Amino acid sequence: MAAPEVILCYTPHTEEGYYAKNNQFQNSGPKGFIEFKVLENQDLYVRVDLPGVASNGVSCFTDPQKKVVFFSGEAPKDSEHEQGSRTYFGITGLICNCCEISRINATMKDGVLRMVLSKVKKTQGDAACSAERPSVPSTILQEAASRSAAGPQGGTGPVIELNPFVVRGHRGAFEGKASKKGGLFARVDMPGVSPEDANAFFKDGEIRFIGTGYKVSEHDESGRTYLGSIVPVLPTKRIMPSKLDYTMKDGVLRIIIPPI
């Protein structure tokens, strides 16, 4: 029998388009690949989606002037069916001249990097400071900075955006294809969702998946939820396999349908 093809048949929509342009499957919670928040003590909270990166797979460090924070991570190829691994790189930091970053408190969980940037005042200047892309002279860093600035706060709209922090590998939240052995493989990014809070199942002729990412930091605006469905089809007809397997790891759902 010919190998099935993947058709993405359902994603959450509003009248204005996708609820979150950063992920077509997200239907509630904070939008955007990156989120900034100035805390009451003037520390800076930064949330960045890096799906596929393990808790020990991220690196954060400052430049010598302590104005810029660089973050990077590697999401390994976790299935033989995936296109390949993904490499992430991005920057954030201070735009003021009166402060410098004194400490980075970073945690990585379920494909989400959370950083609290503490800063100290070095010279007199603006009373308020914020985390935004600084001016970096290096050509490579300017390119990364440009990617970081491509819609950092997300939003609702008709066009899905690609992850600006992926510098190598697949940048979309969905990857689906027929496997070499005739089955079907789908990868769905659901950053913030733990393994026990994801599910994939058959219903009404579709393969449906859902995920709930709970608020894990006091600085998070809220949790996030995801849902969607796919339909495997042959070139001439729709089919429904009798079995599926799935795994949820580091904010990435992988669905495998054995050959029919």
Side-chain angles (χ1 to χ4, degrees), residues 148-257:
S148 300
Q153 295 298 331
T156 298
V159 179
I160 290 297
E161 298 173 346
L162 301 177
N163 193 316
F165 304 114
V166 176
V167 295
R168 183 180 62 83
H170 197 286
R171 297 176 62 199
F174 176 78
E175 178 186 356
K177 63 181 180 179
S179 67
K180 296 179 180 179
K181 298 179 181 180
L184 185 145
F185 170 78
R187 170 189 60 79
V188 181
D189 288 346
M190 299 196 296
V193 177
S194 298
E196 62 271 18
D197 298 317
N199 193 14
F201 52 91
F202 294 120
K203 186 173 182 179
D204 298 332
E206 300 176 344
I207 300 169
R208 299 188 179 185
F209 49 88
I210 58 175
T212 300
Y214 293 98
K215 178 177 179 178
V216 298
S217 167
E218 62 179 317
H219 308 309
D220 288 340
E221 178 184 325
S222 68
R224 289 182 282 181
T225 59
Y226 304 84
L227 61 87
S229 64
I230 56 177
V231 175
V233 298
L234 290 171
T236 58
K237 65 177 180 179
R238 175 169 170 164
I239 59 175
M240 182 47 55
S242 58
K243 180 183 178 182
L244 68 79
D245 297 312
Y246 72 91
T247 62
M248 185 73 198
K249 180 182 177 183
D250 299 324
V252 179
L253 175 69
R254 295 174 175 90
I255 301 173
I256 298 176
I257 300 173

